[in-house]
Amino acid sequence: MSDTNKPTRADWEALAQKEVKGRDLTWQTPEGIAVKPLYTAEDVAGIDPGLPGFAPFTRGVRASMYAGRPWTIRQYAGFSTAEESNAFYRRNLAAGQKGLSVAFDLATHRGYDSDHPRVVGDVGKAGVAIDTVEDMKILFDGIPLDQMSVSMTMNGAVIPILAFYIVAAEEQGVPQGALDGTIQNDILKEFMVRNTYIYPPEPSMRIISDIIAYTSENMPKFNSISISGYHMQEAGATQVQELAFTIADGKEYARAAMATGLDLDKFAGRLSFFFAIGMNFFMEVAKLRAARKLWHRVMTDLGAKDERSKMLRTHCQTSGVSLTEQDPYNNVIRTTVEAMAAALGGTQSLHTNALDEAIALPTDFSARIARNTQIVLQEETGITNVVDPLGGSYYVEALTQELYDKAWKIIERVEAEGGMAKAVAAGWPKAMIEEASAARAARVDKGEDVIVGVNRYRLADEAEIDILDVDNHAVREAQIRRIEKVKAERDEAECQAALDALREGARCNPPRYGEGNHAQHGGGAGTNPSIAPAPPSGAGAPATSPFRGGFENNLLALAVECARARATLGEISSAMEDVFGRYGTNPQPVSGIYGGAYRDDGRWKMLREGVGSIERRKGRKPRMLVAKMGQDGHDRGANLVSSAFGDLGFEVVAGPLFQTPKEAADLAIERQVDVVGASSLAAGHKTLIPELIGHLRDAGRSDIKVIAGGVIPAQDYQFLRDAGVQGIFGPGTNLVDAAGEVLKLLGHNVPPAGPDEDEE
């Protein structure tokens, strides 16, 4: 000890090493951060986090934060029909929810009406079906849109959905200027991880700029974009990757809007963010603090003058990927921990996931627990009484700086390669995320990352819990009837004229916005949407034009006219698709990451030998098609399966996204596969997988084995088995165990895994 008898850091290190007998207590995180077991003033020397409400806003964007007003309690919800969702919203609002977050079904996300043949299994599943303005009016019936903040998670079909919302509000008597809320409108993230895009990247970026321009002029209280890292973390990104790519996306959107002539300070204050909150508690707190500091730097570099333009305001949602099907009541604990991290990190609003969302849509029972989690935190814990209560923590401040520095290095790489749009086109951010995802899956499957109730402390018997089951066929039939009624009652000539105007607007060069500037007409379909020159001095729209300040070719303004004329979502999307085309990609799973983690594992070696045995018997490698049917673009699970089985020695056919069951069956037969692995995350399995099996049977190929994996409730297992599914692998399935089961289906027995000594 020192002469002053005050213990030093060296004294602590000596004592700690004695206690743990020389073991290294440093934790290496997936982000590459070496987290030390002790932090002191030495670790934060030179770091000044500032004060809440002052630049760079590390400690919060408001001086008073929750001491002045708590965060907004939101619940992301929507299912079945507009009527069912409306009733659910009204019950939740009466029980203490403060804002709405709307979940749309996948048919809506992808720009299809409910009567389209490609969406038979998707209507009303994983969200609410919205085909017309009438659906939107029902969705918000009895909910005053001039008083309610509405967040809408929509990217692909963002133009018709926002147009429907505007018109529904108008017909409720609410002017556009009174609307308060957020539209996600974040397409770069879709191309990276979530895949609910419609159009190619270039016209998709134009859509974003048009929405920013229109809302800046007409909807000053409305957030025109929610730049989302949430889906990156859900796809497997580390917190550093989520942080860096989200901030880089935001910079790209700001530049795109500026390139059309918009003033940065005019729209920047309505940009918002959306982050995932996972189980690494302090990392998530530090991530939100680092995000605010990064955004302040980015906006300063872009030339923002107003300090409000440099404030990063964010919504957060607790992790869906951290939820488990096994022992699901543990999910209440996980969600509580994550909600606390979001609050202590300084979020502006929060959605807490329900305990059953690893299995199905939430029931009223589970949604109430999720909502009450936030109410308890606000009302009972005292968290809201102090602004940034973790500010000044040696660990939190050091971790904030470390995340900031690592994220900035990735942002610098993005900038060096021409910006985020070019990085996304090159594919390296997606590949980086998929590598992190595969590495995480291997750590979980090996038990290195503990998941309570899944790879440790397992229950011997799992009790079923009640789940919400949506009758997809009934919902679709009801939606089709409403579409037919709307079309029968509308002025068809007026509707078609509005759709033609939208097509023409899509063909034109995008407008350059600004005082007195109006868009110039360009070439025909396929015209490169470069920035249009400003018109000659004094030029402008004719006096009869319904648009102001350069909005005559603004896609949202044109879509609002279509919505007023009762065009459907599919018709509005199709009008733009006629010009822009529909975008599609094939998954490109990574290789070597999952298998590399198992390189010295004895069971893995046995599995590889089994694959080799089948190869010798067949004269070729066993072949598996990993199929994604329906409009669900979440491909994390499918890519993990492709990566793991590819590393084992299978020949993996990674099927294109958004296949119909017939297309998947045809591809399976064409490629002569032995197994089709159908991945389902959006509740379409009871419709799509039996149809796939039927097509194989009709083609005389019942010998092709069909297995199913993903978010499939145990209550549906027997239904799928009766339909002919030969293996079912729910959330949390160990991929090594799954591979052993598949090899058995192919005629090769693998010795079972040894018992887990930690099971209870």
Side-chain angles (χ1 to χ4, degrees):
M1 238 179 241
S2 65
D3 293 339
T4 61
N5 291 323
K6 182 179 180 180
T8 65
R9 187 166 184 156
D11 294 325
W12 173 85
E13 289 174 353
L15 180 59
Q17 288 303 306
K18 182 179 179 181
E19 290 174 353
V20 299
K21 299 180 173 59
R23 180 162 50 89
D24 185 7
L25 294 176
T26 302
W27 172 37
Q28 296 290 336
T29 76
E31 293 77 15
I33 296 173
V35 175
K36 296 178 287 188
L38 177 70
Y39 285 79
T40 67
E42 298 172 21
D43 298 293
V44 295
I47 296 175
D48 179 10
L51 291 170
F54 291 88
F57 307 110
T58 309
R59 301 192 64 186
V61 294
R62 304 290 182 196
S64 59
M65 287 301 289
Y66 308 145
R69 186 182 73 179
W71 66 88
T72 300
I73 298 172
R74 294 189 185 276
Q75 287 299 103
Y76 177 57
F79 58 91
S80 182
T81 62
E83 291 92 341
E84 290 287 337
S85 294
N86 174 261
F88 186 77
Y89 293 158
R90 292 169 74 167
R91 290 195 299 271
N92 286 359
L93 292 170
Q97 184 177 317
K98 299 301 183 184
L100 294 178
S101 289
V102 182
F104 300 95
D105 74 357
L106 290 164
T108 303
H109 272 288
R110 294 269 294 147
Y112 293 116
D113 286 336
S114 296
D115 58 0
H116 198 285
R118 298 196 72 87
V119 300
V120 172
D122 297 299
V123 177
K125 294 285 194 179
V128 61
I130 298 293
D131 294 306
T132 68
V133 167
E134 300 306 319
D135 288 335
M136 193 69 83
K137 289 170 68 176
I138 293 167
L139 187 68
F140 295 119
D141 182 45
I143 299 172
L145 292 177
D146 55 346
Q147 301 173 34
M148 181 58 58
S149 172
V150 176
S151 172
M152 293 179 286
T153 299
M154 178 52 67
N155 302 284
V158 62
I159 288 285
I161 284 295
L162 193 47
F164 289 171
Y165 172 67
I166 289 168
V167 174
E170 285 177 351
E171 296 184 7
Q172 196 186 86
V174 179
Q176 295 182 28
L179 293 174
D180 183 10
T182 303
I183 189 82
Q184 193 163 98
N185 193 26
D186 175 5
I187 205 64
L188 288 176
K189 164 263 302 175
E190 298 295 330
F191 291 119
M192 269 196 287
V193 291
R194 190 164 174 255
N195 300 313
T196 51
Y197 43 69
I198 300 175
Y199 315 108
E202 196 169 20
S204 296
M205 291 295 288
R206 175 189 167 179
I207 286 170
I208 289 170
S209 296
D210 279 11
I211 289 172
I212 291 173
Y214 185 94
T215 54
S216 295
E217 180 72 21
N218 300 295
M219 302 163 67
K221 296 169 61 179
F222 197 82
N223 298 319
S224 54
I225 190 168
S226 174
I227 303 144
S228 174
Y230 183 88
H231 305 95
M232 298 181 201
Q233 189 178 138
E234 291 290 281
T238 67
Q239 277 90 336
V240 166
Q241 291 167 356
E242 178 194 6
L243 181 57
F245 293 140
T246 305
I247 297 298
D249 278 352
K251 186 173 186 178
E252 191 81 354
Y253 295 138
R255 276 197 298 227
M258 292 167 66
T260 66
L262 289 172
D263 180 81
L264 178 61
D265 282 316
K266 185 172 181 180
F267 69 82
R270 305 317 303 172
L271 305 180
S272 67
F273 287 79
F274 175 28
F275 286 103
I277 304 295
M279 283 298 289
N280 190 342
F281 184 86
F282 289 103
M283 191 74 73
E284 296 293 4
V285 172
K287 181 184 75 183
L288 297 184
R289 302 170 95 252
R292 290 191 288 270
K293 188 175 178 181
L294 285 164
W295 187 240
H296 183 272
R297 180 174 180 177
V298 163
M299 295 305 281
T300 300
D301 290 348
L302 286 177
K305 301 295 189 293
D306 189 336
E307 285 300 296
R308 290 173 297 180
S309 299
K310 305 175 187 180
M311 293 178 180
L312 181 145
R313 294 159 301 108
T314 189
H315 170 71
C316 290
Q317 181 175 340
T318 60
S319 174
V321 125
S322 72
L323 304 179
T324 64
E325 178 191 37
Q326 299 87 348
D327 209 356
Y329 290 105
N330 288 337
N331 295 333
V332 177
I333 305 161
R334 295 185 177 103
T335 294
T336 303
V337 169
E338 292 166 351
M340 288 182 65
L344 293 172
T347 189
Q348 275 60 67
S349 65
L350 178 62
H351 163 74
T352 34
N353 286 327
L355 66 95
D356 47 2
E357 289 190 60
I359 309 164
L361 291 166
T363 61
D364 277 11
F365 170 78
S366 65
R368 180 174 183 271
I369 294 172
R371 181 179 58 255
N372 283 354
T373 299
Q374 294 196 54
I375 296 173
V376 168
L377 289 178
Q378 288 189 356
E379 301 290 349
E380 297 187 23
T381 64
I383 284 177
T384 60
N385 295 331
V386 177
V387 179
D388 188 27
L390 291 183
S393 156
Y394 298 141
Y395 178 34
V396 169
E397 299 297 355
L399 194 54
T400 299
Q401 187 64 40
E402 185 107 33
L403 282 166
Y404 174 90
D405 291 339
K406 286 187 175 295
W408 189 253
K409 287 182 180 178
I410 295 177
I411 293 169
E412 285 182 320
R413 178 184 172 184
V414 170
E415 288 299 296
E417 298 186 21
M420 199 61 192
K422 289 186 177 179
V424 169
W428 65 264
K430 182 177 180 66
M432 185 182 287
I433 290 170
E434 289 188 2
E435 288 175 3
S437 177
R440 162 70 171 169
R443 291 195 305 273
V444 171
D445 286 353
K446 292 179 72 178
E448 295 171 355
D449 287 3
V450 175
I451 310 294
V452 175
V454 176
N455 62 7
R456 201 172 296 183
Y457 312 110
R458 286 288 297 267
L459 287 170
D461 297 299
E462 297 274 355
E464 284 190 2
I465 64 171
D466 291 333
I467 63 167
L468 179 66
D469 189 24
V470 173
D471 185 343
N472 162 247
H473 296 289
V475 173
R476 187 166 186 262
E477 288 172 4
Q479 289 299 119
I480 290 172
R481 287 194 298 271
R482 188 175 294 147
I483 291 170
E484 292 171 345
K485 183 175 186 293
V486 167
K487 288 184 176 181
E489 295 177 352
R490 73 192 183 187
D491 182 324
E492 192 62 29
E494 179 187 4
C495 181
Q496 293 306 321
L499 289 169
D500 288 341
L502 177 59
R503 283 189 195 90
E504 183 60 25
R507 288 190 182 100
C508 294
N509 288 333
R512 182 172 180 82
Y513 300 103
E515 204 59 43
N517 288 350
H518 300 280
Q520 303 299 296
H521 287 258
T527 298
N528 179 41
S530 56
I531 299 168
S537 178
T544 56
S545 170
F547 308 119
R548 301 180 312 160
F551 290 108
E552 59 268 28
N553 287 320
N554 180 286
L555 295 174
L556 178 55
L558 291 164
V560 168
E561 295 304 311
C562 294
R564 288 178 179 138
R566 281 343 190 232
T568 69
L569 175 133
E571 289 173 326
I572 294 171
S573 296
S574 182
M576 292 186 288
E577 186 180 337
D578 290 344
V579 180
F580 298 148
R582 184 171 279 267
Y583 187 75
T585 57
N586 255 54
Q588 300 290 330
V590 299
S591 63
I593 304 296
Y594 190 93
Y598 273 95
R599 188 176 295 108
D600 300 321
D601 183 85
R603 182 164 166 78
W604 182 261
K605 291 177 180 178
M606 282 194 293
L607 290 172
R608 283 188 59 84
E609 290 168 2
V611 172
S613 175
I614 293 172
E615 181 178 0
R616 289 189 293 274
R617 189 177 78 233
K618 286 181 168 286
R620 62 166 175 79
K621 292 182 176 182
R623 196 173 291 143
M624 171 188 277
L625 166 64
V626 178
K628 286 289 296 181
M629 296 180 291
Q631 299 306 306
D632 172 28
H634 295 83
D635 58 356
R636 175 181 183 168
N639 288 339
L640 285 175
V641 169
S642 296
S643 296
F645 277 74
D647 288 350
L648 270 175
F650 276 72
E651 181 183 335
V652 175
V653 180
L657 299 176
F658 314 122
Q659 285 188 307
T660 64
K662 179 67 164 59
E663 289 166 345
D666 289 346
L667 182 59
I669 293 167
E670 176 193 334
R671 297 297 298 271
Q672 295 293 300
V673 303
D674 305 298
V675 181
V676 177
S679 173
S680 174
L681 293 180
H685 51 272
K686 292 174 73 173
T687 301
L688 300 171
I689 297 176
E691 188 178 334
L692 165 69
I693 293 170
H695 288 304
L696 291 173
R697 186 185 304 119
D698 292 345
R701 292 306 310 270
S702 295
D703 59 302
I704 296 177
K705 312 290 192 297
V706 175
I707 60 175
V711 180
I712 302 175
Q715 289 91 321
D716 293 346
Y717 283 15
Q718 193 57 52
F719 173 90
L720 293 176
R721 291 187 184 111
D722 292 343
V725 175
Q726 297 189 43
I728 303 172
F729 306 99
T733 294
N734 184 299
L735 289 176
V736 174
D737 293 343
E741 293 299 315
V742 172
L743 288 180
K744 286 180 185 178
L745 289 175
L746 297 179
H748 184 88
N749 285 323
V750 179
D756 183 349
E757 64 182 12
D758 291 313
E759 284 189 4
E760 291 187 349

